[in-house]
Amino acid sequence: MQKEGRPTRPAPANSNGGDTFSGARALEQDEPLIFELDSPGANGVDLPAAPKAPSRLGALRRSGEIGLPDLAEPTVVRHYTRISRLNYGIDTGLFPLGSCTMKHNPRINEKLARLPGFADLHPMQPVSTVQGALALMQELKRWLAVLTGMPGVALPPGAGAHGELCGMMAIKAALDARGEGETRRRVLAPESAHGTNPATAAMLGFTVDAIPENERGRVDLKAFEAKLGPDVAGIMLTNPNTCGVFETDIKAIAADVHKAGGYFYCDGANFNAIVGRVRPGDLGVDAMHINLHKTFSTPHGGGGPGAGPVVFSEALARFAPTPWVVGDEAEGYDLVESRATGAETSFGRMKGFHGQMGMFVRALAYMMSHGSDGLRQASGDAVLAANYLKARLEDLMSAPYGDGPCMHEALFDDTFLKDTGVSTLDFAKAMIDEGYHPMTMYFPLVVHGAMLIEPTESESKRSLDAFADVLRFLAKQAKAGDVERFEQAPRFAPRRRLDETQAARKPVLRWRPPAPTAEAAE
Ligand SMILES: Cc1ncc(COP(=O)(O)O)c(C=O)c1O
């Protein structure tokens, strides 16, 4: 029999445990899975049994119980509240992820996105009843076009990666229209590219040809030029790039690729470093996605309800996916939904309905509350914050491209950990004990043991200093031989280090009720 008051399940092997009777550590309480809280007969509501109705499911009809736990309402509320307290987020502390950017989500955005006129719309409402929403989409398009200097805007893509697919589909459509779709099959991408770039090109059937970096963390211009040829569809280039530096040869790269008959796709994930200062259209870009979560402060979609609008040059704008939002305040707004109804040159639809309305409201709220001068200041502050951290850390941590200022993220490698017995992973785990989410690790791949730090524009100097002090302390401890601190980390998190090999080789993806033990049967 179970001892009275004991947790219903033993603390997992990798749990921090602690030596309290309950397994809790004050406010931090180990929480079982919701299935383990099952208490037969306990229900939040009593509903009458559903009437028996004829079903057309045939053999697909479920034969047994669905297996949901029985729980009272307070148990459910406590369960999710406790779990939420085990989470680390931008609202609880500095989130230094580089490239993935966790940015403060201003509350004014949230307030506006919840207005019933936006939040309660149904995508199948007649357009005459959603004129305000369409006006907002037109206004967002206008801001994006002005900020990027690119006339075409497609709002539907649901994330940055989806935006890449959208941009490259437009390039493919343009090549097909020129009769070169079958011959231009090669896409160039730098070695430092985010994985979604080559993956996108490969998904569309292109072969991907990697361009090496030079010693300054930029595209090697000569190597790039040597790769151009009549089979090149285009280049996918991130600027500022994933090494956190500006591609200074970008205009030459654009001119070269155009001369060779290809298109220039820019991964605009890092637009937050230059918004209000540089217009990608002026640099020769043909298509670029914008991760609204990075530059315009919407929550990161994580593949879910995000948004990755794409901007197009004059040459590509007509291939943009449907639906097209058209019209103006005087004439009224409309949606052109398909090729058959007016969008003849569009490559088609890539998403149900019109995109993520909630994200559009948040992004436009951010733009309008900042204004053009505020956006310009935000990119300046983001770059300043990253350079401040770089300057505070580079005497102890090694910056591979440290010869000049960085853009919005500071890149370090693991040279400073050489011969210490501490790896990038260990260093990151020790940061968890100090109360910080680790930075992006082992990316970009061109840098050994990479640590990519992006503080964003909204951290105060005090917050940056507290973070820098922790990294300085850890770097000194590693060099002083305090290996145990790192090997044992995280010591204070709800879970200790996972066995990543075991998790990858034998993933447990489904909970199964434990077999009854003899003791339990007593
Ligand atoms: C450089 C770069 N490109 C593309 C992406 C993909 O964006 P998303 O996560 O919105 O799909 C990311 C990730 O944030 C990125 O850092």
Side-chain angles (χ1 to χ4, degrees):
M1 248 203 21
Q2 201 185 301
K3 249 203 207 166
E4 201 187 341
R6 279 271 182 198
T8 49
R9 120 186 130 136
N14 66 352
S15 151
N16 189 7
D19 58 2
T20 54
F21 175 76
S22 62
R25 289 165 65 95
L27 292 181
E28 188 188 285
Q29 318 203 355
D30 199 19
E31 185 64 10
L33 298 179
I34 198 158
F35 294 99
E36 292 167 319
L37 293 172
D38 183 22
S39 178
N43 278 308
V45 283
D46 283 329
L47 295 175
K52 290 248 179 295
S55 158
R56 287 180 293 159
L57 288 174
L60 295 175
R61 202 186 162 98
R62 180 164 46 79
S63 54
E65 289 293 315
I66 197 167
L68 293 178
D70 280 1
L71 300 160
E73 184 175 303
T75 313
V76 176
V77 172
R78 281 184 194 154
H79 175 73
Y80 287 108
T81 307
R82 284 176 173 177
I83 286 184
S84 76
R85 285 166 46 160
L86 299 178
N87 210 0
Y88 187 96
I90 188 68
D91 290 345
T92 49
L94 184 148
F95 214 113
L97 276 189
S99 205
C100 290
T101 317
M102 290 292 162
K103 202 164 153 131
H104 172 61
N105 308 141
R107 294 311 186 255
I108 179 87
N109 300 358
E110 301 304 317
K111 184 165 180 171
L112 295 179
R114 282 167 179 70
L115 289 176
F118 294 126
D120 296 346
L121 290 182
H122 192 282
M124 292 180 86
Q125 270 178 244
V127 287
S128 63
T129 67
V130 292
Q131 288 293 300
L134 296 179
L136 183 138
M137 289 162 86
Q138 273 299 53
E139 186 62 3
L140 177 62
K141 283 171 60 184
R142 193 177 70 79
W143 275 79
L144 291 175
V146 169
L147 290 169
T148 58
M150 298 177 71
V153 184
L155 294 180
H162 202 210
E164 288 173 40
L165 186 67
C166 170
M168 291 304 288
M169 284 173 80
I171 288 178
K172 196 162 180 289
L175 290 172
D176 286 342
R178 274 164 41 182
E180 291 184 282
E182 294 304 315
T183 49
R184 292 190 177 266
R185 305 299 308 143
R186 196 155 52 93
V187 166
L188 308 179
E191 281 171 345
S192 64
H194 194 262
T196 48
N197 293 189
T200 298
M203 259 185 86
L204 292 173
F206 294 109
T207 53
V208 183
D209 198 351
I211 320 165
E213 307 286 330
N214 62 23
E215 66 294 342
R216 295 173 55 240
R218 275 104 174 162
V219 162
D220 182 327
L221 191 61
K222 286 226 152 28
F224 158 71
E225 285 169 347
K227 284 181 183 285
L228 289 168
D231 63 333
V232 166
I235 181 171
M236 294 184 84
L237 178 70
T238 312
N239 197 23
N241 71 19
T242 58
C243 296
V245 292
F246 194 85
E247 291 283 355
T248 36
D249 287 327
I250 188 164
K251 280 191 167 173
I253 291 171
D256 283 347
V257 77
H258 288 152
K259 201 162 146 214
Y263 291 98
F264 181 1
Y265 183 87
C266 182
D267 178 329
N270 298 335
F271 190 46
N272 57 330
I274 56 173
V275 64
R277 291 163 190 273
V278 178
R279 300 190 315 163
D282 298 337
L283 303 175
V285 171
D286 291 303
M288 182 179 95
H289 76 263
I290 299 163
N291 306 62
L292 290 188
H293 71 274
K294 292 191 172 203
T295 306
F296 299 114
S297 82
T298 66
H300 195 164
V310 180
V311 286
F312 293 109
S313 64
E314 202 72 62
L316 292 183
R318 65 199 182 99
F319 300 105
T322 52
W324 292 353
V325 184
V326 294
D328 54 31
E329 199 180 339
E331 298 287 316
Y333 300 95
D334 204 356
L335 282 169
V336 182
E337 299 263 10
S338 68
R339 286 200 286 246
T341 56
E344 291 88 5
T345 51
S346 164
F347 70 70
R349 186 177 270 276
M350 61 181 312
K351 193 175 196 309
F353 303 119
H354 324 310
Q356 296 296 351
M357 193 64 204
M359 294 299 155
F360 301 159
V361 180
R362 287 174 174 88
L364 189 62
Y366 182 79
M367 291 169 175
M368 295 181 78
S369 56
H370 277 64
S372 61
D373 56 337
L375 291 176
R376 185 179 160 81
Q377 182 172 346
S379 58
D381 288 352
V383 173
L384 183 63
N387 277 285
Y388 181 67
L389 280 183
K390 182 166 175 267
R392 280 221 52 202
L393 297 172
E394 61 192 348
D395 61 325
L396 283 174
M397 294 171 68
S398 36
Y401 308 118
D403 56 340
C406 60
M407 295 300 289
H408 60 303
E409 47 198 359
L411 177 60
F412 297 93
D413 64 16
D414 60 0
T415 313
F416 76 102
L417 294 174
K418 193 163 181 285
D419 300 329
T420 61
V422 175
S423 67
T424 291
L425 183 72
D426 300 331
F427 195 83
K429 298 288 184 198
M431 287 172 68
I432 298 176
D433 279 340
E434 299 292 340
Y436 285 103
H437 190 287
M439 67 288 267
T440 292
M441 301 178 298
Y442 299 109
F443 177 79
L445 303 178
V446 286
V447 167
H448 199 269
M451 303 179 205
L452 187 60
I453 302 177
E454 179 173 359
T456 81
E457 71 281 1
S458 53
E459 293 303 326
S460 64
K461 178 170 178 297
R462 183 184 182 143
S463 159
L464 295 175
D465 277 331
F467 180 65
D469 289 346
V470 162
L471 294 195
R472 291 185 68 78
F473 167 77
L474 290 177
K476 282 184 193 157
Q477 292 306 116
K479 289 177 196 204
D482 182 7
V483 181
E484 205 185 330
R485 168 185 303 277
F486 296 90
E487 277 176 357
Q488 297 296 319
R491 291 169 293 163
F492 308 125
R495 290 285 176 276
R496 305 296 302 275
R497 228 180 261 213
L498 299 177
D499 181 343
E500 293 187 12
T501 314
Q502 173 91 347
R505 296 248 166 93
K506 292 188 181 162
V508 180
L509 304 175
R510 190 170 170 193
W511 179 81
R512 291 183 197 285
T517 59
E519 195 189 358
E522 272 172 35

Coordinates of all heavy atoms in Angstrom, one line a residue, residues 99-100 159-161 164 194 196-197 238 242 267 269-270 289 291 293-294 300, ligand 1:
S99 N 19.1 33.8 -33.4 CA 18.4 33.3 -34.6 C 16.9 33.0 -34.3 O 16.1 33.3 -35.2 CB 19.1 32.1 -35.2 OG 18.8 32.0 -36.5
C100 N 16.6 32.5 -33.2 CA 15.1 32.2 -33.0 C 14.4 33.3 -32.3 O 13.2 33.3 -32.3 CB 15.0 30.9 -32.2 SG 15.5 29.5 -33.1
A159 N 4.5 31.0 -41.0 CA 5.7 31.0 -40.3 C 6.8 31.4 -41.2 O 6.6 31.5 -42.4 CB 6.0 29.6 -39.7
G160 N 8.0 31.6 -40.7 CA 9.2 32.0 -41.5 C 9.5 30.9 -42.6 O 9.6 31.2 -43.7
A161 N 9.5 29.7 -42.1 CA 9.8 28.6 -43.0 C 8.8 28.5 -44.1 O 9.1 28.2 -45.3 CB 9.9 27.3 -42.3
E164 N 9.4 31.1 -46.6 CA 10.5 30.7 -47.6 C 9.9 29.9 -48.7 O 10.3 30.1 -49.9 CB 11.6 29.9 -46.8 CG 12.4 30.6 -45.9 CD 13.3 29.7 -45.1 OE1 13.9 28.8 -45.7 OE2 13.5 30.0 -43.9
H194 N 20.4 29.0 -42.3 CA 19.4 28.3 -41.5 C 19.0 27.0 -42.2 O 18.7 27.1 -43.4 CB 18.3 29.2 -41.2 CG 17.4 28.8 -40.1 ND1 16.2 28.1 -40.3 CD2 17.5 28.9 -38.7 CE1 15.7 27.8 -39.1 NE2 16.4 28.3 -38.1
T196 N 16.3 25.7 -42.7 CA 15.0 25.8 -43.5 C 15.3 26.3 -44.9 O 14.5 26.0 -45.8 CB 14.1 26.8 -42.8 OG1 14.7 28.0 -42.5 CG2 13.4 26.1 -41.6
N197 N 16.5 26.9 -45.2 CA 16.8 27.4 -46.5 C 17.0 26.2 -47.5 O 16.3 26.0 -48.4 CB 17.9 28.4 -46.6 CG 17.7 29.7 -45.9 OD1 18.5 30.6 -45.9 ND2 16.6 29.8 -45.2
T238 N 20.8 35.0 -46.1 CA 20.2 35.7 -44.9 C 21.0 36.9 -44.7 O 22.3 36.8 -44.7 CB 20.3 34.7 -43.7 OG1 19.8 33.5 -44.0 CG2 19.5 35.3 -42.5
T242 N 23.5 34.5 -40.3 CA 23.4 33.8 -39.1 C 24.6 33.8 -38.2 O 24.6 33.3 -37.1 CB 23.0 32.3 -39.3 OG1 24.0 31.7 -40.1 CG2 21.6 32.2 -40.0
D267 N 16.5 35.6 -46.9 CA 15.9 35.1 -45.6 C 15.9 36.4 -44.7 O 16.9 36.8 -44.2 CB 16.7 34.0 -45.0 CG 16.1 33.5 -43.7 OD1 15.6 34.3 -43.0 OD2 16.3 32.3 -43.4
A269 N 14.7 36.8 -41.8 CA 14.5 36.5 -40.3 C 15.1 37.5 -39.5 O 14.7 37.9 -38.4 CB 15.0 35.1 -40.0
N270 N 16.3 38.1 -39.9 CA 17.0 39.0 -39.1 C 16.7 40.5 -39.5 O 17.5 41.4 -39.2 CB 18.5 38.7 -39.2 CG 18.8 37.3 -38.7 OD1 18.0 36.8 -37.8 ND2 19.9 36.7 -39.1
H289 N 11.0 36.7 -46.8 CA 10.0 36.5 -45.8 C 10.4 37.4 -44.5 O 11.5 37.7 -44.3 CB 9.8 35.1 -45.4 CG 10.9 34.5 -44.5 ND1 12.0 33.8 -45.0 CD2 11.1 34.6 -43.2 CE1 12.8 33.5 -44.0 NE2 12.3 34.0 -42.9
N291 N 9.7 37.2 -40.4 CA 9.2 36.5 -39.3 C 8.6 37.6 -38.4 O 9.3 38.4 -37.7 CB 10.3 35.8 -38.5 CG 11.1 34.9 -39.4 OD1 11.7 35.3 -40.3 ND2 11.0 33.6 -39.1
H293 N 7.3 37.4 -35.6 CA 7.7 37.3 -34.2 C 9.0 38.0 -33.9 O 9.3 38.4 -32.8 CB 7.6 35.9 -33.8 CG 8.7 35.0 -34.3 ND1 8.7 34.4 -35.5 CD2 10.0 34.7 -33.8 CE1 9.8 33.7 -35.7 NE2 10.6 33.9 -34.7
K294 N 9.9 38.0 -34.9 CA 11.2 38.5 -34.7 C 11.2 40.0 -34.8 O 11.8 40.7 -33.9 CB 12.2 38.0 -35.7 CG 12.5 36.5 -35.6 CD 13.6 36.2 -36.4 CE 14.1 34.7 -36.2 NZ 15.4 34.5 -36.6
H300 N 6.1 33.9 -30.9 CA 6.6 32.9 -31.9 C 5.6 31.8 -32.2 O 5.2 31.2 -31.2 CB 7.9 32.3 -31.4 CG 8.7 31.7 -32.5 ND1 10.1 31.4 -32.4 CD2 8.4 31.2 -33.8 CE1 10.5 30.8 -33.5 NE2 9.5 30.7 -34.3
Ligands
LIG1 C1 17.6 32.6 -40.1 C2 16.2 31.9 -40.0 N1 15.5 31.6 -41.1 C3 14.3 31.0 -41.0 C4 13.8 30.7 -39.7 C5 12.4 29.9 -39.7 O1 11.5 30.7 -39.1 P1 10.2 30.1 -38.4 O2 10.7 29.5 -37.1 O3 9.2 31.3 -38.2 O4 9.6 29.1 -39.3 C6 14.5 31.0 -38.6 C7 13.9 30.7 -37.2 O5 13.5 31.5 -36.5 C8 15.7 31.7 -38.7 O6 16.4 32.0 -37.6

